């Protein structure tokens, strides 16, 4: 049995470069790693849903030996020499395609697209041995909150098959605020949205929880925290995949002067 995990994966390769702005995030990831080791066996495979891939229809990486896609720019040369040589999972990819299409979500297999940094950065932090078969599912263009809950629901059986599902995004993703002057007003907006996330995920009724996530734009300062929602929607996929399972643990941290969070269901 595996959990469902949402991670806020930081700014590009900065966590792996041990950038001072991400020291608290690295502390949170070390705690997550300890928790995974203490409570769960090694997964047989890992399915990532990353904020950094949008396709119509939904796409699934299916290469037997996936390459890496260094989808960040203007970082030090060592950022582009990172390796994460995980095996792929072609049979699992085909199975996921069938599961998605069974609930009315068209899906295609892609054997050429590499794993982006929404996969290999948290992968290097949580599973650095790179020996667990790993694949990636795209977001669906249009970025419908309801649709991404549905994508998650198609993944509900994976945890019982010892397959770890990881939604990789960021609970706060306003690039201007990340790199602009630190100020109390922006920080208060950031914290209000983080509080809303925790309250929503702790909602015991799954239907009510999904209703709030579908209407996430009504949350405090929602569009300040997510001018575009691609980094939030992996959280929706996780909630859909978790089903009625309760939120088990959350971890908060500060990176680039803003609060972020990770969440686990089992």
């Amino acid at each position: 049995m595996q959990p469902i995990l949402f991670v806020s994966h930081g700014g590009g390769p900065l966590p792996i470069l041990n950038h001072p702005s991400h020291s608290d995030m690295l502390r949170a990831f070390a705690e997550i790693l300890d928790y995974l080791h203490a409570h769960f066996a090694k997964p047989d495979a890992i399915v990532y849903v990353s904020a950094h891939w949008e396709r119509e229809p939904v796409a699934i990486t299916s290469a037997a030996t996936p390459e890496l896609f260094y989808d960040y720019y203007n970082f030090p040369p060592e950022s582009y020499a990172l390796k994460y040589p995980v095996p792929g999972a072609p049979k699992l990819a085909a199975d996921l395609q069938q599961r998605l299409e069974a609930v009315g979500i068209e899906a295609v297999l892609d054997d050429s697209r590499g794993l982006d940094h929404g996969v290999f950065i948290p992968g290097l932090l949580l599973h650095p041995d790179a020996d667990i078969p790993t694949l990636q599912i795209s977001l669906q263009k249009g970025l419908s909150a309801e649709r991404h809950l549905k994508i998650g629901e198609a993944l509900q059986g994976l945890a019982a098959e010892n397959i770890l599902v990881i939604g990789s995004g960021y609970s706060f993703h306003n690039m201007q605020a990340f790199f602009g002057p630190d100020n109390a007003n922006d920080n208060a907006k950031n914290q209000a949205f983080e509080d809303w996330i925790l309250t929503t995920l702790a909602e015991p009724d799954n239907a009510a929880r999904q209703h709030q996530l579908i209407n996430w734009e009504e949350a405090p300062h929602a569009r300040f925290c997510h001018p575009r929602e691609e980094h939030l929607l992996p959280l929706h996929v996780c909630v859909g995949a978790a089903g009625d399972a309760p939120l088990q643990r959350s971890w908060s941290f500060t990176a680039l002067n803003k609060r972020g969070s990770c969440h686990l269901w089992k």
Side-chain angles (χ1 to χ4, degrees):
M1 189 74 176
Q2 289 294 316
I4 308 295
L5 177 64
F6 171 81
V7 295
S8 292
H9 59 237
L14 293 177
I16 300 301
L17 299 179
N18 291 309
H19 194 276
S21 66
H22 282 60
S23 59
D24 194 40
M25 179 188 148
L26 291 174
R27 182 269 312 161
F29 267 75
E31 293 179 4
I32 295 170
L33 181 58
D34 287 345
Y35 190 84
L36 291 175
H37 285 170
H39 294 88
F40 302 97
K42 183 178 180 178
D44 292 328
I46 305 175
V47 173
Y48 274 90
V49 179
S50 166
H52 293 279
W53 192 20
E54 299 172 32
R55 283 279 299 271
E56 177 61 53
V58 171
I60 307 163
T61 61
S62 58
T65 53
E67 298 182 351
L68 298 189
F69 176 31
Y70 301 99
D71 58 329
Y72 41 67
Y73 309 96
N74 300 318
F75 285 97
E78 57 266 32
S79 306
Y80 305 94
L82 293 171
K83 303 298 181 186
Y84 192 57
V86 287
K91 290 182 179 179
L92 177 58
D95 176 62
L96 293 180
Q97 181 186 31
Q98 292 180 354
R99 294 183 192 223
L100 288 164
E101 293 189 339
V103 297
I105 298 169
E106 185 182 358
V108 297
L109 301 180
D110 188 329
D111 64 2
S112 62
R113 208 265 189 183
L115 304 175
D116 61 49
H117 81 271
V119 177
F120 67 81
I121 295 300
L124 285 165
L125 294 172
L126 297 176
H127 301 98
D129 292 338
D131 59 349
I132 302 171
T134 298
L135 59 74
Q136 178 177 351
I137 302 176
S138 76
L139 299 179
Q140 185 177 43
K141 280 188 176 180
L143 303 181
S144 160
E146 188 170 9
R147 195 68 166 167
H148 286 85
L149 286 165
K150 188 79 169 177
I151 291 171
E153 289 172 1
L155 309 180
Q156 280 185 8
L158 295 179
E161 298 173 23
N162 203 43
I163 297 171
L164 173 61
V165 174
I166 299 180
S168 179
Y170 213 125
S171 60
F172 176 89
H173 199 255
N174 181 321
M175 298 301 289
Q176 184 176 356
F178 273 140
F179 294 102
D182 191 28
N183 67 80
N185 185 48
D186 285 0
N187 292 343
K189 293 176 180 178
N190 170 204
Q191 188 61 58
F193 190 77
E194 288 291 318
D195 292 343
W196 175 84
I197 288 176
L198 283 171
T199 300
T200 298
L201 297 184
E203 165 60 54
D205 181 74
N206 188 32
R209 183 165 61 247
Q210 293 209 12
H211 177 78
Q212 292 177 56
L213 286 167
I214 289 169
N215 296 284
W216 72 272
E217 290 179 272
E218 298 174 6
H221 312 294
R223 279 297 179 189
F224 170 77
C225 296
H226 289 277
R228 193 172 185 274
E229 55 265 46
E230 81 285 348
H231 274 73
L232 183 66
L233 291 178
L235 178 66
H236 289 63
V237 176
C238 287
V239 170
D244 291 326
L247 181 69
Q248 189 73 22
R249 283 289 302 272
S250 294
W251 294 266
S252 294
F253 61 86
T254 299
L256 296 170
N257 296 315
K258 293 294 177 283
R259 298 296 290 170
S261 55
C262 304
H263 307 278
L264 180 145
W265 299 257
K266 71 172 186 175

